[in-house]
Amino acid sequence: GAGVSQSPSNKVTEKGKDVELRCDPISGHTALYWYRQRLGQGLEFLIYFQGNSAPDKSGLPSDRFSAERTGESVSTLTIQRTQQEDSAVYLCASNQIAGGSSYNEQFFGPGTRLTVL
Amino acid sequence: QKEVEQDPGPLSVPEGAIVSLNCTYSNSAFQYFMWYRQYSRKGPELLMYTYSSGNKEDGRFTAQVDKSSKYISLFIRDSQPSDSATYLCAVPFSMIYNQGGKLIFGQGTELSVKP
């Protein structure tokens, strides 16, 4: 089946501009995550959506970052007034929270590579 | 102190070598421990995970957790050039992981297996 998809795959923007990054999760997955990966670094958590619950925004680095999710489908991460330090790969993941004692693997998309000039 | 620490490498080995990748973590309450593999310009994919202490084997890969020393290891036997990738250890932040939630990742170790 289709995996997590993200668009665009690459985005080059000028400092100060706003950007929108899109994530289409795997169909039926109730949970959606955004992570950021700077060059040569691990993944930093940004935000997590689970069903109708309030999102966990604890990882958003500043108020320039925001994200929305429409129901249990597509999500958009918006970065306003981009800065050079925002340059990174932005990764989206989704999973189905099954409960019980099982481990609920997060499936990742290929990421959007953002370059801020 | 970061919650999960990993030597970023890079690590270069000849084909057929045994590879040892390691992480340490700070919170003794963590129960699940994952290893993700990330090929260049791709998203991470789950390689394997363990619950609590002990070993788990899957083909040429063995994951090991030592909770007494808060140490996580991944061993790759008979390494192949196709194993060349970045390997990331991760733990779920929530102790009730089956309810979902963020993962905390190490910095990743870049591995290159030379033919």
Side-chain angles (χ1 to χ4, degrees), chain A residues 9-59:
Chain A
S9 55
N10 287 281
K11 176 73 176 177
V12 180
T13 191
E14 293 180 349
K15 178 181 172 181
K17 295 285 178 73
D18 298 352
V19 295
E20 280 190 356
L21 312 179
R22 178 188 170 104
C23 172
D24 284 274
I26 293 172
S27 178
H29 280 189
T30 57
L32 186 148
Y33 312 78
W34 284 97
Y35 294 87
R36 176 171 70 178
Q37 187 175 30
R38 290 194 165 117
L39 185 64
Q41 300 294 311
L43 281 69
E44 300 172 71
F45 167 78
L46 296 177
I47 188 168
Y48 156 53
F49 297 90
Q50 165 59 7
N52 295 319
S53 301
D56 176 358
K57 303 180 182 180
S58 61

Side-chain angles (χ1 to χ4, degrees), chain B residues 24-44:
Chain B
T24 59
Y25 63 94
S26 59
N27 189 336
S28 58
F30 290 143
Q31 294 282 11
Y32 284 93
F33 305 92
M34 293 80 148
W35 284 96
Y36 277 81
R37 179 174 61 194
Q38 185 177 26
Y39 290 114
S40 181
R41 294 185 175 265
K42 302 286 187 183

Side-chain angles (χ1 to χ4, degrees), chain A residues 10 33 35 37 40-45 48 50 56 58 91 95 97-111 113, chain B residues 2 8 32 34 36 38 40-47 49 51 86 88 92-93 97-108:
Chain A
N10 287 281
Y33 312 78
Y35 294 87
Q37 187 175 30
Q41 300 294 311
L43 281 69
E44 300 172 71
F45 167 78
Y48 156 53
Q50 165 59 7
D56 176 358
S58 61
L91 290 153
N95 65 359
I97 306 304
S101 60
S102 61
Y103 169 71
N104 301 303
E105 178 184 353
Q106 292 184 21
F107 294 86
F108 283 84
R113 186 172 300 270
Chain B
K2 290 187 178 180
Y32 284 93
M34 293 80 148
Y36 277 81
Q38 185 177 26
S40 181
R41 294 185 175 265
K42 302 286 187 183
E45 56 180 350
L46 182 66
L47 189 58
Y49 75 93
Y51 176 73
T86 296
L88 300 130
F93 179 78
Y97 185 66
N98 60 3
Q99 300 302 310
K102 65 184 177 185
L103 294 175
I104 304 168
F105 284 85
Q107 299 94 309

Side-chain angles (χ1 to χ4, degrees), chain B residues 79-98:
Chain B
S79 55
Q80 302 295 309
S82 58
D83 296 329
S84 297
T86 296
Y87 291 80
L88 300 130
C89 58
V91 296
F93 179 78
S94 171
M95 300 307 126
I96 312 174
Y97 185 66
N98 60 3

Side-chain angles (χ1 to χ4, degrees), chain A residues 73-88:
Chain A
S73 62
V74 66
S75 176
T76 302
L77 177 69
T78 301
I79 308 173
Q80 296 178 309
R81 304 181 302 281
T82 51
Q83 303 295 310
Q84 288 182 329
E85 62 262 28
D86 299 334
S87 296

